[in-house]
Amino acid sequence: MRIVTSADEYARFARARLPEAFAEKWISLLRPAVQFPLAGAQGEPTALRLGGDPMLPDDVEWPSFEGYGPLSFIAELDCAAVAAVGGVGLLPESGHLSSFCVDERYEGPDKTVDYEWCLTEWTSGQVIYVPEARTRRPRLAPRWLEPYETDLRSARAVSTPPSTRWDLIERYFPTEVRTLADPAHPFWAEEFVSGIEALRETYAQCGGYARPCQGPPEVRAASAAIDAGRSPHINVLDEAAHWQVLLQIPEADDLGMIWGDSPVAYWMIRDDDLTTRRFDRTWFTMQN
């Protein structure tokens, strides 16, 4: 089955399977995103570089996690190339974003904490934004840290559907909750639920709804923000509405990015931090 990428295609899919009013409400929840599925064609700009050595200004330190050591460089986003395909309003119009995370790849003798424990901490994944005007140079990885192989990806604008998790569905459809409670509702039909999942591939992505392996990363980020005292909300779903997918990266066996049982790495950011370009306040998680 071909992967659905446009809002029009999702709309046709929903209208053919859901009651009219419900279909239109579901369609209104679609979010734009940019995905990076394939190597760019000749002459097409590179929007995402996976692996290799990061390009950093001389005065920017390599990110690290106390007790673990230096984080692995995972990917670099070219903000201008993302904007050129329509963007998602998430990124600056120029400059570069480099993403790092813990991943068991560092083998230094100073490592004293377990990799899985690191993943419970806020700074286990970090993002560095470098404005276009800054001079960047290739930075070799620290000793004991083997870089990943390199892959260059092009960008395409897409649409992404919302989660079918029940508590989020209640939030999305507050006036239809009683109707949706009926397991015979067309929304829960195998044709619709499995169809949406089959049409949605887990690609590297910026913006839109995250493609979860477990619970929605937006909800996980919200819970972490409340626990850390970084949220004015008490209800996790109220807080989740403020979180965006800055970058989603599935593992890539051919590059050596093998992190477990088909895991996906997520760098999430709150909307107010996005507005003020506080990329240093991203929240990271990895799901299998």
Side-chain angles (χ1 to χ4, degrees), residues 54-216:
M55 299 282 290
L56 298 172
D58 292 340
D59 61 346
V60 173
E61 294 185 1
W62 189 288
S64 63
F65 185 91
E66 185 177 358
Y68 173 84
L71 308 183
S72 287
F73 169 65
I74 305 300
E76 178 187 87
L77 277 173
D78 184 325
C79 298
V82 172
V85 299
V88 290
L90 281 180
L91 305 182
E93 294 185 357
S94 63
H96 297 82
L97 280 170
S98 293
S99 299
F100 301 76
C101 72
V102 298
D103 61 356
E104 277 194 307
R105 206 161 175 87
Y106 179 61
E107 298 293 345
D110 56 334
K111 185 167 67 173
T112 59
V113 297
D114 179 76
Y115 153 72
E116 292 188 359
W117 179 87
C118 294
L119 289 175
T120 66
E121 297 300 301
W122 195 280
T123 55
S124 58
Q126 298 178 36
V127 173
I128 295 173
Y129 172 62
V130 181
E132 190 65 33
R134 296 289 311 273
T135 298
R136 305 181 306 137
R137 307 179 198 278
R139 180 77 60 84
L140 295 179
R143 188 183 181 192
W144 309 107
L145 181 61
E146 183 71 21
Y148 289 110
E149 297 295 321
T150 302
D151 190 23
L152 306 179
R153 302 284 184 88
S154 60
R156 67 177 184 187
V158 302
S159 284
T160 56
S163 169
T164 55
R165 175 170 155 164
W166 173 248
D167 52 3
L168 291 176
I169 291 299
E170 287 183 296
R171 187 60 57 98
Y172 298 148
F173 300 94
T175 61
E176 295 93 351
V177 169
R178 181 171 296 179
T179 302
L180 278 168
D182 181 357
H185 191 285
F187 185 83
W188 305 116
E190 183 71 15
E191 182 184 12
F192 183 76
V193 175
S194 296
I196 288 294
E197 289 303 306
L199 291 169
R200 192 178 176 197
E201 189 62 50
T202 305
Y203 282 131
Q205 177 179 308
C206 174
Y209 293 99
R211 179 73 153 82
C213 298
Q214 300 169 14

Side-chain angles (χ1 to χ4, degrees), residues 1-58:
M1 185 179 291
R2 191 171 69 82
I3 296 166
V4 172
T5 60
S6 75
D8 287 344
E9 290 169 302
Y10 273 121
R12 285 194 295 271
F13 183 85
R15 287 171 181 147
R17 293 161 177 84
L18 299 176
E20 181 179 358
F22 194 88
E24 296 308 315
K25 178 64 178 292
W26 184 87
I27 292 165
S28 73
L29 295 170
L30 294 170
R31 288 182 182 175
V34 172
Q35 290 181 344
F36 313 93
L38 302 170
Q42 187 172 3
E44 193 173 22
T46 296
L48 177 71
R49 176 169 62 88
L50 295 169
D53 297 321
M55 299 282 290
L56 298 172
D58 292 340

